[in-house]
Amino acid sequence: MSEIPLSTLITATAPIEAANHGGRAKCLQRLVRLDLPVPRTVALSFAAVQQVAAGELPDIRAILAEFSEDALLCVRPSSEVPDWGGPSAILNIGMNDARYLSLSEVLGQAAAASLYLRFVQSYAVHVARLDPDVFDDVEDGGPDALREILQAYEAETDEVFPQDPGEQLAAVLRSMARAWEGTSARLLRQAKGAPADAGLGLVVQEMIPGLGQGECGSGVLQLVDSDSGLPQLTGRYLSQSQGREALGAGTEALFLEKDARGPSLEELAPEAFARIKADAALMRVRLREEMQVEFVIQNGALHILDGVRVLRSSRAAVRIAVALAQDGIIPPHEAVMRVDAHVLSELLHRQVAPSAARDVIGAGIAASPGAATGQLVFTAADAQSSAARGEPCVLVRRETSPDDVRGMHAAVAVLTGRGGMTSHAAVIGRGLGLPSIVGASNMTFDSRKKRLISASGQVFHAGDIVTIDGSRGEVLAGEPEMLEAAEDDAFQALLAWADEARDIDIRANADTPADAQTARNFNAQGIGLCRTEHMFFDPGRLTVMREMIFAETSSGRAAVLARLLPMQREDFLELFRIMEGLPVCIRLFDPPLHEFLPTSKTGQRELSEALDIPVSDVTRRVEEMAEYNPMLGLRGVRLGVTVPEIYDMQARAIFEATLLASKDGAPVVPEVMIPLVSAKREVELVKARIDAVAAAVAAEQGESFDYRLGVMVETPRAALRADEIAPHTSFLSFGTNDLTQMTYGLSRDDAGRFMSNYVQQGVFPEDPFHVLDVDGVGELLKLGVQRGRSTNPEVTLSICGEHGGNPESIAFCREAGFDYVSCSPFRVPVVRLAAAQLAIGEKTGAVSPTYT
Ligand code: PEP
Ligand code: MG
């Protein structure tokens, strides 16, 4: 750092680096190298600005000596990454009483007064730190206003306005350097990813006034639309103006291109217009970026003051990167690296328009992205009636249970008061692509009176219209303007390039034909987890399921299950047909059986009627089956071992569907997965029965088929004993939801209540149900991988918990040697991009915004 001069005149060959002088200084040097008409500029290094903040000024005379004696100057910030911001630019440094008089002759009195006035005003506010209100009474423009403002300055500061340009420049540099060190500026830039010690450079540039007697003015121009990213010449020009005034000037400002709505720069100054347009195109090619050009016309001559990266929405970011690659300006892999994978999911869903007013009435965990508007409903039944009437509705529940799944299907969005990232509502919401907010603990859920009360006490009733912004986790009153989803050609092109670079497979968690179709649409390479329990909540099946639970004997259970068999076979057949030979991993029944029993008195009465048994029998059975800790109770493989008829039926349905689907389509090799395993013996027992069912089906149909049996590793013991388990299986799929729950001893359904407090106090860096806990849960995963592979090197390894859809967790999965990750269908594009960026980053050393 010490060899870098504190101040450097920007020339084509000067030693200017973004890491020492900031992005703006570097960009200006590039413009100089392109021979663009850039005014003379001096760059101050980060070290120089640090010294200024500490009270040590650089050689001000030497800086001034770089410019002609009568030049006015401006100072602008130049942080390493332009997005990190910086203090406001100060224009017209050097204006004083004498310059006012001489410029009055050259530019006219009004223009000279205006230049001086603007300088005094911004100096007073940003350097002398006076309250902007002091100048409220000053009339706009003219010599009178100038006199008044100088008097106001003197009255407030007890000093005459500084007249010496050196003194002015020194004060400006000092105030800008100190502003960068201030706490709020530091927090602001850190929120944008800047490190705590990020440096600031400053550029001192000769002013081109933009005011005067010929055609003078300033404007900005860019070649694309910031919202869509599509080619569209955008910007404004304002005669007799400076800086970015043209953008705020309303109807006085000119359009750039000829426009039916009003006069344009193209008509006023055709040559200058053509030149800016050509320069912008040149900048795009040579700076390899879509740039906004800040320009000034002075007596008809064009000057380019600056080029900044065009501000862009998420969808514009994709289109701009893809267009640059398609035009051969950057290679496709660089386009892949330029888009932040986190924002990609925004494009898959409708969004609240960034410009829309937001009346926020509550907030919770942003569990499933996208936004939707509908009327409030408080029960699953009401959601279904609302959907039947064609009225979009938002389903509000304290928390959801499997009984609510049909209501969720009917709703356009879901809001719950409890739960975290892996709660029922969150998992189902993501699977359905339904905007969802869970754990909205600052709202009161009064389901009995069908009311929702905001933190400020506003009461909303059933039928009131609200909007769920699942991307931000905010509940909004009313119906703000929306932006439609944008899975357009640019999006598809970017993901196709990502797939070429990616080195880990990606499947989707899909339970229904709709999920499977979404998975196909997003090019998932198979289904990594089909949770079969949701299939039993269909009203037509629920009663049969309950009947099975009430059966006293094994044969009684088998008889009832035989009625579910054809339905389950149809379920799988449909999935196999949609997936057309891609792998489909079906998880055998997982939840505790009592989740299927009615808890309300009415429900129990209805069941007693349906089964023709006394209500007291129903109530007794429900009570008998209750568990103190159901998530650690009789569920998963424990049911498979103790009530084996359910798995027998499911295995038969899978195998029969396999043969049917393979007859008229691509051959299917189903994957059958056993959940919640903790001991090798569980696998042996279940495997023996499933092998027997497979043999029976093959014998009955006279046709053989292959299948793969695997184990879901979601208890810590299964991870630790993976070496014992792996030889009995073709694959191990790590269920990181339950594994996180059991590793922390933290209920996934209750953690949402205090998670934000825990994260705020730094107990956990992030919600471990959202971002994989690499240190603890990750350690178990690594042990499981290593031990599993040690006894079965061929075993396929994957992750199917919600973490599979999180870009931060993909890095871990690649390094740990997983073959694939499986995530909610709507996360598939995000993960395709994030995984590709890691692979490209490893080869090229580049870092994408996803991981900064
Ligand atoms: C898991 O536990 O990680 C998992 C994928 O299964 P579920 O979320 O259905 O418990
Ligand atoms: Mg699980």
Side-chain angles (χ1 to χ4, degrees), residues 37-245:
V38 178
R40 205 169 165 80
T41 309
V42 168
L44 299 194
S45 69
F46 293 174
V49 177
Q50 257 169 18
Q51 287 184 10
V52 174
E56 207 180 313
L57 284 169
D59 186 345
I60 297 288
R61 302 252 145 253
I63 296 173
L64 289 177
E66 296 285 4
F67 302 95
S68 68
E69 215 177 313
D70 56 359
L72 297 180
L73 303 176
C74 72
V75 182
R76 298 171 206 265
S78 177
S79 51
E80 184 168 347
V81 173
D83 287 351
W84 297 346
S88 310
I90 302 216
L91 312 185
N92 305 333
I93 300 163
M95 276 308 291
N96 53 22
D97 297 349
R99 295 284 292 131
Y100 168 58
L101 291 179
S102 59
L103 280 176
S104 294
E105 278 166 30
V106 189
L107 304 176
Q109 196 185 30
S114 178
L115 288 172
Y116 198 3
L117 194 127
R118 284 165 212 227
F119 177 47
V120 178
Q121 210 154 9
S122 61
Y123 188 97
V125 174
H126 298 293
V127 182
R129 309 247 166 230
L130 301 188
D131 192 331
D133 298 353
V134 174
F135 306 115
D136 272 0
D137 297 335
V138 177
E139 294 292 321
D140 274 352
D144 291 344
L146 176 63
R147 206 169 313 113
E148 272 180 56
I149 209 167
L150 284 167
Q151 279 164 3
Y153 181 92
E154 212 172 314
E156 285 294 317
T157 60
D158 278 340
E159 283 170 12
V160 289
F161 188 75
Q163 296 292 303
D164 174 41
E167 188 190 331
Q168 292 173 352
L169 179 62
V172 166
L173 297 181
R174 209 177 294 120
S175 80
M176 289 175 87
R178 290 193 177 151
W180 182 251
E181 304 279 313
T183 312
S184 51
R186 191 186 297 269
L187 289 177
L188 262 176
R189 64 179 177 264
Q190 280 178 356
K192 291 179 184 159
D197 61 349
L200 176 75
L202 292 172
V203 294
V204 184
Q205 190 176 59
E206 180 183 340
M207 278 298 300
I208 309 296
L211 304 175
Q213 282 162 345
E215 180 48 46
C216 298
S218 63
V220 293
L221 173 146
Q222 63 187 50
L223 300 171
V224 293
D225 175 68
S226 284
D227 283 335
S228 69
L230 287 165
Q232 186 186 315
L233 198 81
T234 311
R236 289 288 185 275
Y237 170 79
L238 183 65
S239 286
Q240 305 298 323
S241 78
Q242 298 194 303
R244 303 172 76 82
E245 283 170 7

Side-chain angles (χ1 to χ4, degrees), residues 506-509 526-529 798-801 804-805 820-824:
I506 294 160
R507 296 197 196 175
N509 295 350
I527 293 180
L529 171 64
S798 62
I799 280 196
C800 63
Y820 72 86
V821 297
S822 188
C823 57
S824 299

Side-chain angles (χ1 to χ4, degrees), residues 683-742:
V683 185
E684 287 171 352
L685 289 172
V686 172
K687 182 172 179 343
R689 284 190 80 113
I690 291 180
D691 284 344
V693 174
V697 172
E700 285 159 26
Q701 313 263 337
E703 257 179 277
S704 64
F705 56 88
D706 287 332
Y707 76 97
R708 303 177 79 216
L709 186 81
V711 162
M712 195 159 173
V713 180
E714 49 184 346
T715 66
R717 194 176 190 283
L720 294 170
R721 308 303 292 171
D723 47 350
E724 277 180 354
I725 294 171
H728 301 280
T729 66
S730 304
F731 61 91
L732 296 174
S733 187
F734 290 75
T736 46
N737 301 336
D738 271 311
L739 195 59
T740 300
Q741 167 162 270
M742 294 193 210

